[in-house]
């Protein structure tokens, strides 16, 4: 069994007596302790004080606090300024000859990191309030009683080709600032692209349709007649389904609204600019990410269509249900953020 450790009060008493000029031998007699213990306490205290006093000695850094403040202003002035431009401006204004790698290290010291600009569009006040009002009556919806009745649908353009990304300077926790997303340059020369329409229900994937061109009101009706009825017959034979689509012009045209009324299609009102509340957007993201792994194998539009259908068919019912389970969280987060963009 080891020796009992000394208390801090005992150590302080030893150091106080030693600093007042008491010899180690006299301290041993007064405290009735081994001389080795007394010497160890004094030696360790002296060693730690010496290290603290000598720590940080060396060549001072070229970049001081004034330079860091200038660097912060350069980045904050325009979050889309490339590092090359910031490097040139910083060198011109401060006269410091730093390499780009060192400057990038100081940018990270200021908690700025370069990251791809999100394609999310900024919300105006009208749309933000509309989103908040839409969430309010649905904050107590449960997945089993309400959300499971919703059939979510959407179109998406899937491209395989050049990648044009805009990079911005970000800090942790500010991914939804208006100047950090939107207005990104898109690729004008994609090798292959396909417009797809799909829908999902609580029990799994629904139908997937490959569209030949941009969808119109009449082509949208044809798409629904071909693909929506099988899902309704399979998943809701007794009725009670609610169909969701966004406010795209083809979805809100007069002939489309008339077709829905004639066929008793109940629809869910949808706020503008709310892809983060539509769970099928997660599926489009997965399809696009998985296609990146197969991009070298895709040599034609037909290959692209085949891969899209394979990925769509591989989506499990458990995954689809997990998306439905996230809906109450999406609604709560949208309310907490006062109608602004959520993380989804």
């Amino acid at each position: 069994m080891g020796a009992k450790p000394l208390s801090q009060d005992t150590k302080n008493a030893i150091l106080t007596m030693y600093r007042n000029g008491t010899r180690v031998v006299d301290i041993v007699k007064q405290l009735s302790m081994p001389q080795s213990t007394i010497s160890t306490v004094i030696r360790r205290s002296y060693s730690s004080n010496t290290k603290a006093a000598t720590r940080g000695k060396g060549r001072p850094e070229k970049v001081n606090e004034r330079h860091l403040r200038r660097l912060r202003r350069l980045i904050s002035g325009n979050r889309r300024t490339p590092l090359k431009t910031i490097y040139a401006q910083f060198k011109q204004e401060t006269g410091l000859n730093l390499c780009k790698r060192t400057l990038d290290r100081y940018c990270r010291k200021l908690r700025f990191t370069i990251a791809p600009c999100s394609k999310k569009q900024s919300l105006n006040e009208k749309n933000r309030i509309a989103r908040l009002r839409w969430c309010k009556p649905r904050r107590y919806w449960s997945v089993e009683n309400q959300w499971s009745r919703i059939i979510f649908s959407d179109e998406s353009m899937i491209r395989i080709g050049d990648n044009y990304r805009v990079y911005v300077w970000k800090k942790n926790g500010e991914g939804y600032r208006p100047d950090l997303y939107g207005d990104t340059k898109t690729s004008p020369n994609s090798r292959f692209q396909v417009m797809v329409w799909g829908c999902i229900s609580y029990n799994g994937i629904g139908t997937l349709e490959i569209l030949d061109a941009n969808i119109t009101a009449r082509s949208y009706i044809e798409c629904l007649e071909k693909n929506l009825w099988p899902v309704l017959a399979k998943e809701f034979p007794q009725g009670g389904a609610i169909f969701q689509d966004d406010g795209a012009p083809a979805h809100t045209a007069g002939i489309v609204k008339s077709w829905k009324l004639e066929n008793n299609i109940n629809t869910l009102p949808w706020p503008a600019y709310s892809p983060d509340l539509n769970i099928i957007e997660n599926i489009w993201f997965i399809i696009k990410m998985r296609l990146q792994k197969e991009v070298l194998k895709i040599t034609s539009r037909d290959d692209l269509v085949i891969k899209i259908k394979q990925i769509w068919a591989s989506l499990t019912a458990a995954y689809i249900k997990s998306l439905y389970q996230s809906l109450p969280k999406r609604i709560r987060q949208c309310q907490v953020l006062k109608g602004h963009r959520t993380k989804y």
Side-chain angles (χ1 to χ4, degrees), residues 10 13-14 17 26-34 38:
T10 304
I14 294 173
M17 296 171 66
D26 297 331
I27 296 175
V28 170
K29 293 179 180 179
Q30 294 183 33
L31 299 180
S32 301
M33 298 176 63
I38 304 295

Side-chain angles (χ1 to χ4, degrees), residues 143-162:
V143 176
E144 293 75 14
N145 296 329
Q146 284 89 19
W147 291 117
S148 60
R149 297 167 53 199
I150 309 296
I151 297 175
F152 286 91
S153 70
D154 194 22
E155 302 92 12
S156 180
M157 178 66 75
I158 299 178
R159 294 184 175 93
I160 293 293
D162 296 333

Side-chain angles (χ1 to χ4, degrees), residues 80 117-122 166 178 181-186:
R80 302 190 181 193
C117 178
S118 174
K119 294 182 181 179
K120 292 181 178 179
Q121 298 175 342
S122 57
V166 175
Y181 52 81
D183 299 329
T184 61
K185 182 180 179 182
T186 57

Side-chain angles (χ1 to χ4, degrees), residues 5 8 13 69 83 134 148 155 161 171 199-200 214 247 253 312 337:
Q8 189 61 41
R69 289 195 298 270
L83 179 62
W134 184 87
S148 60
E155 302 92 12
K171 284 185 176 181
C199 65
I200 58 173
N214 290 333
W312 177 268
L337 297 177

Side-chain angles (χ1 to χ4, degrees), residues 94 165 183 205 263 287:
T94 63
R165 280 187 172 180
D183 299 329
I205 58 173
N263 293 274
I287 290 177

